[in-house]
Amino acid sequence: MITLNPPPQLILSDLNDSLNGKEINIETMINRREFIKKTSMGAAAISVAGLTQSGINHSESGIKPVGGRVIDAHMHVTPGKVKKALQVMDDNFIRYGVIIASIAGSDPDQYVGDKAFYEISEAIKPYKNRLALHYTYDWTLAETDPDFFNKAPDMLEKAVKAGAIALKNLKQLGLVARDHEGKLIAIDDPRLFPIWERAEKLGIPVAFHTGDPVAFFNPWNPKNERWEELELHPEWSFSDRSKYPPLETLFAQANNVYKKFRKIQFVSVHVGGYSENLKEVSRWLDEIPNLSVDTAARIGELGKHPASEGYDFFNKYQDRIMFGTDMAYWEGCDVQGAGPCKDFTLDEDRNFYNIHWRYLQTKDKQFDHPTPIQGKWKIDGIGLQTAALKKIYWDNAYRFYKLNRVGVA
Ligand SMILES: [Zn+2]
């Protein structure tokens, strides 16, 4: 069976874009969940109640997304949760949702690959004008099936014929995914080129989740900003250079692929996996015209930069940034981008989305960000202009995923 990689960004910042190989067992998963409950429920509960320091309940503050319609380009929906997802979408102006990866099941027993893809695909069939799905490889097959690299392009084509609008690569690629000989598979490994070539031929975009919070790649010591989490969960650290490549290597490998396959539109999720360093992400966007990013589960990190820098980044790349939240509807419970898995009320979900509108649209100061598990700082709104907001909320994802094809207007 597939088990999960417990680094918090799997469950926390990216929930389960990060399904992993074998060394992690159910016990660690349970420990992780306990940890999340103990450390985050308090903060999350305060945040989801919508109470800022000033006591304003911004779930009632009347902020609406400019333009009145939004594509959430980074969601996770499992088959049993389609109705709930649609309800929350209806309540928050999310006219269309892009399910960013084929992940199904209930935490901690989630699974990816064909089984997940075809189950979700079936469940969303009646809602083609509301939801679309990425195909996602189960990279553990590369280790267990010597013929995986030959089969992979046809697996993708079959999924696209069944309705996949794009391909999503989980962060395991480059970091932990191994081939039949047990060697790490680099993101720019030529054995993967036939997959990218097939994506190009099929005319679908390709999404990558590369890297993880910088802190998890840094030495594990008291100076590490996530020292407490890492002390409790050393398995979340990728700092062991005998096991894991450095973050810079992963980024360089991914960029090699983007540059080699110029006809493919790529999205590097979570602000390119490097929201800590907007200068570097800007450099990539300048160098690679076929690259976009999304905002999923990174409003907190984005808000750590001065509001003027956040504004400049969004304003300059307003044609290349897609709005996404990482809102996850797992079979057992939901995750608002990062943090505890629980059954959120419609009010709590409305508040989660409202914080996004508030960050992007207002110049409000010092309010809670949407993912308190990532840190307890406050953020300032960046107050983007209407034209930029409409692109980020709608136009960019609409064009990127060619949603005219699926009848979305
Ligand atoms: Zn995600």
Side-chain angles (χ1 to χ4, degrees), residues 158-388:
K158 187 178 159 213
V160 169
K161 284 187 174 145
I165 59 162
L167 168 64
K168 164 70 185 291
N169 298 293
L170 299 173
K171 73 168 187 186
Q172 281 70 21
L173 184 61
L175 189 59
V176 294
R178 292 177 185 277
D179 67 13
H180 197 54
E181 291 175 353
K183 292 197 185 108
L184 271 184
I185 306 165
I187 299 167
D188 57 357
D189 189 315
R191 288 175 295 178
L192 300 169
F193 288 1
I195 296 175
W196 318 139
E197 283 159 5
R198 190 66 63 92
E200 182 181 319
K201 192 180 140 213
L202 293 166
I204 55 160
V206 178
F208 275 87
H209 175 178
T210 307
D212 247 343
V214 169
F216 298 131
F217 287 81
N218 286 340
W220 171 33
N221 62 39
K223 285 185 193 157
N224 191 304
E225 67 172 8
R226 301 213 190 183
W227 160 248
E228 287 163 7
E229 287 170 46
L230 291 169
E231 193 179 33
L232 274 168
H233 285 274
E235 73 276 14
W236 290 352
S237 172
F238 298 120
S239 68
D240 183 347
R241 287 292 153 265
S242 68
K243 281 193 197 157
Y244 306 108
L247 200 47
E248 297 71 30
T249 301
L250 296 170
F251 291 142
Q253 290 173 357
N255 288 347
N256 286 342
V257 175
Y258 308 152
K259 287 176 182 171
K260 186 171 170 60
F261 294 90
R262 291 278 185 181
K263 288 184 195 152
I264 299 177
Q265 289 294 321
F266 291 100
V267 57
S268 184
V269 300
H270 307 301
V271 196
Y274 211 11
S275 47
E276 295 91 340
N277 190 339
L278 294 181
K279 280 205 179 79
E280 186 68 0
V281 177
S282 300
R283 200 172 65 77
W284 302 340
L285 288 166
D286 290 340
E287 279 181 7
I288 308 168
N290 52 324
L291 180 64
S292 295
V293 298
D294 77 26
T295 62
R298 290 297 180 276
I299 297 297
E301 278 291 341
L302 287 164
K304 242 182 166 179
H305 300 276
S308 61
E309 282 177 29
Y311 175 89
D312 289 345
F313 178 76
F314 276 88
N315 194 51
K316 181 167 183 195
Y317 301 105
Q318 58 181 273
D319 296 301
R320 318 266 296 276
I321 301 172
M322 292 185 270
F323 175 83
T325 58
D326 219 356
M327 189 75 188
Y329 304 90
W330 305 119
E331 292 298 346
C333 50
D334 304 336
V335 178
Q336 294 180 324
C341 200
K342 56 175 264 197
D343 289 322
F344 291 97
T345 65
L346 283 178
D347 264 355
E348 290 169 335
D349 287 335
R350 197 178 308 132
N351 189 64
F352 172 73
Y353 274 105
N354 275 353
I355 301 173
H356 291 77
W357 318 142
R358 199 177 186 200
Y359 172 73
L360 294 166
Q361 295 180 199
T362 78
K363 290 189 176 168
D364 290 357
K365 304 280 183 218
Q366 297 298 292
F367 52 93
D368 293 328
H369 64 77
T371 48
I373 183 76
Q374 294 169 336
K376 309 259 183 289
W377 60 85
K378 305 273 181 183
I379 61 172
D380 296 340
I382 60 173
L384 290 171
Q385 278 139 5
T386 297

Side-chain angles (χ1 to χ4, degrees), residues 14 17 74 76 100 270 326:
D14 188 40
D17 277 15
H74 191 134
H76 297 275
I100 194 78
H270 307 301
D326 219 356

